Amino acid sequence: MSSTAMILLIITLLSLYLAVGIMDGVRRRYLQFKQQQKQQLQLYRLRRQGDLLKLWLRHPEGQLLAKAKPGQHLQLFSQDQLGHPISRAYSIVSDYKQRRYYSLAIKIEATGRLTPLLAQQLKQGQLLQCSYPKGHFQLEFSPRSFFNSFVKAPKLLVKSRPVVLIAGGIGITPLLPMVNAALRQQRPVTLVYQARQLQDLLHHRKLLRLAKNTNLHYLPVLSQPDTEWPGQRGRVHAAQLAQLGGTKADYLLCASATMVRELEQSLATLGCRRVQHELFSAAHSTQSFAITLGTSEANSLGHSSVLDALLASGVKVPFDCRGGSCGACALRLVSGDCKNVLQNEYTVGEHEILSCCVQANSPLHLEWPTTAADEQPLPLQQSSSLTTHDDTTFA
Ligand code: FES
């Protein structure tokens, strides 16, 4: 090949690389923008089963809804009893291919700020303010599965990466569409579902049926079963999970913070690296560190995040989603060390933290973000809202 042709080839490849980078950047920006937008959806069906509220939402004029990826959630915007804005994120339970409606399953928490109100006030036909589907807790794509789904190749030729889904209690909700997705991709899929008692297993019969008719390996585990329970008792252990999926599988966990941490650490020591998680809520910090923000002070002990610690001390930090997606609670980290307790999808600037997603790992010195340095922090009642985590439905 002549040197001119070589140069032309290099320039073409570089241009292609740049173009793909730019297009990807634009696509990400657009998605981020879209995720900040709100939409009105109509509640066309509503059912209550014990402490579970099931909602079906559709477009008021019957249009197709935005595509949701398996594992994503919707944020609901409402008002609390004092008329303060409040929002929570709830997993979309319906199949991700369904574009006529989204269904949500919400656990009603007697002490929650939003769910008791939803249970009392929601009426069929009502319009609700919602976000578009969002969230990074998603089943990752396996290229070989893609090949399988198109070519229907014999399984001996193309082996897809196995999927192990682990749910604790209401943490099953984002995993249900993932079961469908994994089955469609013809991937070996195991669902391990930990709950207290048989009646706490959501969609149990449906899952049993699915396991009978498909390749799903469904393993319900009860910690406090009655004597007739024929299945596994006690707790799920990482060694058992690693045996089910092996070191190459995708592990997706949605459960309480304690369960997720224990399993995640043990899976890592067993060589399982492809682990993602979603928490109901972060465990409360057991460490006592001073947190200073300007002239205000707080302490980390007993709080699930830096934001919680500051709010509990009366510091009016603006916030919205409390789940790492809006960026409202961003603060500048001047000194100290934080650890992430929730996955964030909003990208913060250098030396910034999302205070709802981190706990203090040492004494912290924080300041208001530089871009907002001249602005006063918003009064609490203008920006306050809570997210899912207090109501234990994942976000
Ligand atoms: S409050 Fe939304 S990212 Fe922290």
Side-chain angles (χ1 to χ4, degrees), residues 307 319-329 354 356:
L307 175 69
F319 64 89
D320 185 11
C321 67
R322 284 179 84 166
S325 56
C326 72
C329 67
L354 284 181
C356 70

Side-chain angles (χ1 to χ4, degrees), residues 39 41 44-45 55-59 62-70 72 74 92-104 133 177 180-181 184:
Q39 59 176 336
L41 297 178
Y44 79 95
R45 203 165 150 215
L55 316 183
W56 284 261
L57 303 164
R58 68 179 172 198
H59 191 278
Q63 290 173 16
L64 286 185
L65 298 169
K67 228 175 174 176
K69 297 206 175 117
Q72 286 198 307
L74 280 189
I92 300 171
V93 187
S94 42
D95 185 27
Y96 64 102
K97 294 238 174 202
Q98 177 55 261
R99 306 239 346 243
R100 292 272 163 214
Y101 64 84
Y102 302 126
S103 66
L104 311 176
N180 289 343
R184 275 199 192 108

Side-chain angles (χ1 to χ4, degrees), residues 25-176:
V26 171
R27 188 186 64 90
R28 277 166 197 271
R29 282 290 161 105
Y30 173 74
L31 285 179
Q32 216 167 37
F33 165 77
K34 195 78 182 159
Q35 286 179 356
Q36 306 303 325
Q37 304 300 301
K38 293 180 186 168
Q39 59 176 336
Q40 276 207 326
L41 297 178
Q42 188 179 37
L43 177 64
Y44 79 95
R45 203 165 150 215
L46 174 70
R47 226 170 68 205
R48 183 165 176 175
Q49 263 178 354
D51 62 354
L52 203 70
L53 200 59
K54 294 186 179 174
L55 316 183
W56 284 261
L57 303 164
R58 68 179 172 198
H59 191 278
E61 278 133 37
Q63 290 173 16
L64 286 185
L65 298 169
K67 228 175 174 176
K69 297 206 175 117
Q72 286 198 307
H73 60 263
L74 280 189
Q75 209 169 340
L76 286 194
F77 300 89
S78 186
Q79 291 191 332
D80 68 8
Q81 264 155 340
L82 300 170
H84 296 161
I86 174 170
S87 75
R88 290 266 162 54
Y90 299 112
S91 301
I92 300 171
V93 187
S94 42
D95 185 27
Y96 64 102
K97 294 238 174 202
Q98 177 55 261
R99 306 239 346 243
R100 292 272 163 214
Y101 64 84
Y102 302 126
S103 66
L104 311 176
I106 301 172
K107 187 168 179 200
I108 303 162
E109 290 292 325
T111 52
R113 275 183 65 197
L114 182 59
T115 53
L117 288 181
L118 292 179
Q120 278 169 22
Q121 295 172 357
L122 284 184
K123 298 267 175 305
Q124 224 156 292
Q126 188 177 340
L127 291 177
L128 296 177
Q129 277 249 301
C130 305
S131 69
Y132 284 85
K134 54 183 177 176
H136 287 318
F137 181 62
Q138 293 169 19
L139 181 64
E140 271 186 37
F141 189 66
S142 163
R144 280 180 283 189
S145 322
F146 181 71
F147 184 70
N148 270 350
S149 57
F150 274 93
V151 183
K152 307 268 180 242
K155 281 174 197 135
L156 351 159
L157 289 181
V158 186
K159 234 173 148 202
S160 304
R161 211 164 46 225
V163 185
V164 183
L165 306 168
I166 306 112
I170 192 73
I172 188 71
T173 50
L175 303 186
L176 291 170

